[in-house]
Amino acid sequence: LAEFFRRTYGPTGVFNAKPFEGSQSWAGARPEFRAIAYDSSGIAAHMGMLRRFIKIDGADLLVAELGLYGIRRDLEGLGLSSSFRVVLPVLQELGVPFGFGTVRPALHKHVARLGRGGLLAVKSGIRVRSTLRIALLDKPPTRIDDALVVVLPVGRPISDWPAGAMIDRNGAEL
């Protein structure tokens, strides 16, 4: 898996592949569950999940954070919506009201297509605070991103997602 992530994230910048040096197969928090797709060429796609409580403007909300998403370069364009559909039954089993994740604003067009089909909602204008994976004495312990928030309704309708301008992950990004 570490090699898969280095090859998947490396083309987006050396810094993005760095957390997967050696045999580490996560960048921040360890996933509770992994969905891994294989084909005759090896690992085709991966998505990690972690149940956690996030705070939205100070109110706690149980979610399954979705992250560590990757698809092999020769399969790009074929997998994100299928990946969400595959993990939905697992999220239902976990008993969470929502799946939650973040993506870079540069991926807005890519994930917005999924929102048009009603599978998920993409929200902008929300800041997301995460604990840094490695504590450094000369840096703050948290980072705040202006990322796009992806919400997958699981046990409750999207209309139940709380409004708010700040999400605190209460830990490291998955």
Side-chain angles (χ1 to χ4, degrees):
L1 278 175
E3 178 63 26
F4 169 78
F5 287 126
R6 282 193 299 274
R7 278 186 269 134
T8 301
Y9 292 144
T12 65
V14 167
F15 180 78
N16 295 329
K18 189 172 177 62
F20 305 104
E21 288 179 352
S23 61
Q24 184 166 307
S25 64
W26 68 92
R30 284 187 182 197
E32 177 179 354
F33 179 86
R34 295 175 184 264
I36 305 170
Y38 295 91
D39 66 10
S40 61
S41 298
I43 298 172
H46 177 279
M47 184 178 289
M49 290 171 271
L50 175 67
R51 276 181 290 194
R52 68 170 14 148
F53 281 92
I54 60 174
K55 287 187 181 287
I56 301 179
D57 285 350
D60 286 327
L61 178 65
L62 175 65
V63 298
E65 182 168 357
L66 304 172
L68 287 173
Y69 175 74
I71 187 157
R72 206 172 55 227
R73 293 186 66 79
D74 62 314
L75 301 172
E76 286 177 359
L78 302 175
L80 193 55
S81 63
S82 296
S83 297
F84 281 117
R85 284 182 177 80
V86 166
V87 300
L88 188 57
V90 174
L91 297 175
Q92 290 166 334
E93 248 181 68
L94 292 174
V96 295
F98 301 102
F100 154 81
T102 58
V103 296
R104 297 183 316 270
L107 296 174
H108 187 270
K109 286 183 182 177
H110 185 67
V111 295
R113 286 182 294 177
L114 297 172
R116 287 194 298 266
L119 179 63
L120 55 82
V122 180
K123 300 182 174 286
S124 59
I126 301 172
R127 304 185 83 202
V128 181
R129 180 183 299 123
S130 306
T131 304
L132 294 179
R133 159 177 93 78
I134 299 172
L136 302 170
L137 295 176
D138 62 335
K139 303 239 185 277
T142 60
R143 155 183 109 222
I144 297 177
D145 293 310
D146 292 317
L148 294 173
V149 173
V150 176
V151 180
L152 178 66
V154 179
R156 291 176 32 199
I158 194 66
S159 59
D160 285 354
W161 180 264
M166 173 65 83
I167 294 176
D168 190 335
R169 269 197 172 98
N170 289 320
E173 178 180 13
L174 180 63

